[in-house]
Amino acid sequence: MKILMLTPYLPYPLLSGGQIRTFNLLKKLAKKHEITLFALIKNEEEKQYVPELEKYCTKVKVFKRSEKPFTVKNIFKAVFSSYPFLVIRNYVPETIEAIKKELASEKYDLIHSEPFYMMPHLPDNDIPTILVEQTIEYLGYESFAKKFPKVLKPMLESDIKKIRKWERHYWRACDKLIVMSDDDKEFINKQINDEKKIGVVANGVDSEWFDQVPRKLTKEPTILSVGTFKWLPNQEAVDFLVNKVWPNVKKEVENVKLWIVGNAPTPKVIGYGEKDKQIEVLGRVPDIRNSFKEAHVLVAPVFSGKGTRYKILEAMASGTPVVASKIAVEGLNIKHGEHVLTSNSAKEMSKLTVELIKDKKLWEKLSVNGKKFVTENFDWKEISQKLDTIYKEIGKKGAINAKKS
């Protein structure tokens, strides 16, 4: 099949969950399909990564959006537009014209848009469209709004209403909606009442890739926090970890360290490392495998958003035990005490982290069980096969409808 894929980022290098997912699916699906990728970039330097993607794509075209999101132009447009800031920030008119020309010159069987805020770039067409939602955007912003200054709250709440409106609109407008878990499917189905339209294609992990780096634990007990800081739930998670969990762990574990790893740490996050010598804000690291293989435990107190968290899957694939909030492991069908340890309480999360560091038998149990579970259930090979099946199903329906018309 010939597929046009739209993404708001270049799926390489692998700095975020979205990039990891898209890149790994491209690698697998390119063996069966001809994929043309239209992606947004923030600066010209990103073009150096296009050759890596051309190994798997028939064609790659990039379009520049504003490098910084909160420009006067973007804010002004969002205030007076029916679209939310999230759409305006990722809206590049040249992309629409390029897609029109592409669809006029080439015959495509399918359009794959990821996520909903790329959909406004699509001109009117009769090609079957798949929309992939890695998370439910408006839920994450609703959580963030609760902590926003009261003076600015009305403006943010107005924008969230727009996100909710357009996200739901495109859920209904696409031919097939793909989500990350059964929980996400159930949540969205209650809003659009169309269960058959929604398919589940979970996130995955490259277990063999993580096996290439040997386990080498640090001498000092080390807690790991992972997540790109451009995503609001990750900012909230590290704040919770540092302010509510970390102090209790420090009291119980001598010489314990906290590593904060992830792309684009905010000034607030960087400040945590400056104030506390036992906290190291590493930011973007050359190879995330080393962080997972050297740390004793991943702590992930995520409390908002939807979708599958890559940090959980990658930690388990590395054999690194996990202590997490319940929402962080939602949809993975893993068991507390068997594969991971879960709690929504800061006090209990601290207690579980300390227990895991001190109890070698428990550490070994979760390390072995977690790795086995992820390898058997979340390998990219199996995940890509599910998406391939949906491609064929929707593509076939599109071909039948084209013949009828």
Side-chain angles (χ1 to χ4, degrees), residues 111-128:
I111 295 173
H112 173 140
S113 178
E114 190 163 339
F116 91 90
Y117 50 83
M118 287 302 290
M119 293 286 280
H121 292 101
L122 287 177
D124 289 337
N125 68 86
D126 56 2
I127 301 170

Side-chain angles (χ1 to χ4, degrees), residues 62-117:
V62 295
F63 306 88
K64 194 172 182 299
R65 62 178 181 176
S66 59
E67 186 162 1
K68 295 181 179 179
F70 296 103
T71 63
V72 173
K73 185 178 180 181
N74 284 344
I75 294 171
F76 184 81
K77 280 185 176 181
V79 170
F80 294 99
S81 172
S82 65
Y83 281 135
F85 181 82
L86 184 60
V87 170
I88 297 297
R89 189 265 180 277
N90 291 283
Y91 188 72
V92 183
E94 304 95 273
T95 309
I96 300 174
E97 293 305 312
I99 292 174
K100 281 182 181 178
K101 290 181 181 178
E102 187 68 25
L103 297 183
S105 62
E106 302 281 351
K107 181 176 172 54
Y108 282 91
D109 301 295
L110 195 67
I111 295 173
H112 173 140
S113 178
E114 190 163 339
F116 91 90
Y117 50 83

Side-chain angles (χ1 to χ4, degrees), residues 192-295:
I192 67 172
N193 194 28
D194 193 352
E195 187 175 2
K196 290 184 179 179
K197 171 178 273 194
I198 310 168
V200 177
V201 180
N203 287 324
V205 67
D206 190 340
S207 300
E208 291 184 4
W209 186 68
F210 280 93
D211 281 341
Q212 291 171 9
V213 174
R215 165 68 63 186
K216 189 180 179 182
L217 291 174
T218 55
K219 291 181 180 179
E220 302 88 359
T222 303
I223 294 171
L224 179 64
S225 171
V226 174
T228 178
F229 295 101
K230 292 178 181 178
W231 198 50
L232 296 177
N234 284 334
Q235 294 178 26
E236 295 173 350
V238 79
D239 289 344
F240 186 92
L241 172 57
V242 171
N243 296 314
K244 297 184 178 181
V245 177
W246 174 242
N248 295 325
V249 176
K250 281 177 69 176
K251 290 177 185 176
E252 299 293 330
V253 183
E254 190 178 356
N255 298 322
V256 66
K257 285 187 175 181
L258 170 60
W259 289 349
I260 300 177
V261 174
N263 193 38
T266 63
K268 183 179 181 181
V269 172
I270 293 171
Y272 288 142
E274 293 172 345
K275 294 172 185 174
D276 188 334
K277 292 181 180 180
Q278 289 173 256
I279 297 177
E280 292 185 52
V281 181
L282 302 175
R284 175 180 170 181
V285 295
D287 193 332
I288 191 65
R289 292 176 295 182
N290 293 322
S291 299
F292 280 117
K293 294 286 188 171
E294 293 174 19

